[in-house]
Amino acid sequence: MAKRPKNKTDTDDDSAGRFYSALLSMSVPDDSPQTYRRKVLGQLQAIAALTRSRSKSSADLTGQHPTSHLITVLAYRVNEAHLIKVRELQRGLGFTAGGITRRLDAMVREGLVERLPDPEDGRALLVRLTPAGVDLAQFLLKDADHRSHALEQTFTLEEWKMLSDLLHRFEKAIE
C-alpha cells in the first residue's frame, strides 16, 4: 500500500514540537514555571505527533482515511442500528457541510456506509453502516482496545482522574 505524502499540517506540527524541544534545551535549567511550561508544551506536541502517527498507521493498514475511521466508530457506537444523523456527525467532528459530504461520498463508494432519508425530517439524511462498515468498526475497536490495555495499566484510577483534571484545567487556560 502506498504511503500518503506528508501534508502541510504534518510539517507544521512537527516544527512546533521541535520548537519547544529546542527552546527547552536552550533554556537555563531551573525550577521555574516557564521551564516546566515549555517542557509540558513539548511533551504535548510529542503526544499529538504520536497520536497522528498511530492514526496514519491504522489508515495505511485498512486503506481507509482516518476520518472514515472516526465516522465508522461513531456510527457503530451510537446505537445498535449503527444509524446516525449526518448533521450530528458534522457537528460532532467539527466538519463543514461540504467536508462531511465529501467524506461520506467516499465512504459510500467504498461500501462502508449508506445514506438514508431521515423519516423525521425530509430535508435531512441519515448514515448507516453497511456490513463492511460494521466489520471495519469492530476491527478498529478491537485494535484500540488492545493498544489501550497497556496504556490503562500505566496509571492508577486516581492518577487518571488527576491527569484528566489537570489537562482540563490546561485546556481551559489556553483557550
Side-chain angles (χ1 to χ4, degrees):
M1 222 171 276
K3 291 229 182 219
R4 292 190 332 231
K6 276 189 152 190
N7 62 34
K8 185 177 179 344
T9 56
D10 293 337
T11 305
D12 291 346
D13 291 338
D14 292 344
S15 296
R18 287 192 303 270
F19 169 78
Y20 287 112
S21 295
L23 189 59
L24 187 61
S25 69
M26 289 185 268
S27 299
V28 176
D30 61 14
D31 243 7
S32 70
Q34 293 83 8
T35 297
Y36 284 100
R37 179 183 48 82
R38 290 173 185 152
K39 184 175 182 177
V40 166
L41 290 171
Q43 290 167 324
L44 288 173
Q45 289 293 331
I47 291 167
L50 283 170
T51 302
R52 282 187 306 279
S53 175
R54 289 212 177 191
S55 177
K56 289 175 187 171
S57 294
S58 184
D60 289 343
L61 181 66
T62 64
Q64 307 298 329
H65 191 277
T67 305
S68 296
H69 289 183
L70 296 174
I71 292 169
T72 301
V73 170
L74 284 172
Y76 183 81
R77 288 251 169 115
V78 73
N79 56 49
E80 287 185 21
H82 313 304
L83 189 67
I84 189 168
K85 293 182 181 211
V86 171
R87 189 174 345 206
E88 289 175 2
L89 281 172
Q90 178 188 346
R91 287 183 186 146
L93 295 173
F95 275 48
T96 63
I100 197 71
T101 297
R102 283 188 297 278
R103 177 56 23 219
L104 291 174
D105 285 347
M107 292 178 72
V108 167
R109 284 191 305 272
E110 294 164 350
L112 297 174
V113 299
E114 61 181 342
R115 286 190 180 105
L116 305 167
D118 185 341
E120 297 172 7
D121 182 352
R123 299 165 298 162
L125 291 173
L126 302 171
V127 172
R128 180 173 50 205
L129 293 181
T130 64
V134 169
D135 288 346
L136 177 61
Q138 290 171 342
F139 171 81
L140 293 169
L141 290 168
K142 183 178 178 183
D143 183 55
D145 285 345
H146 175 73
R147 286 184 282 112
S148 294
H149 181 71
L151 183 60
E152 289 169 7
Q153 305 306 310
T154 304
F155 300 113
T156 66
L157 178 57
E158 272 310 304
E159 290 170 327
W160 277 113
K161 288 178 183 178
M162 185 185 318
L163 180 59
S164 177
D165 290 343
L166 290 169
L167 289 172
H168 179 74
R169 283 175 42 200
F170 185 83
E171 179 183 10
K172 292 298 176 193
I174 62 173
E175 283 183 341

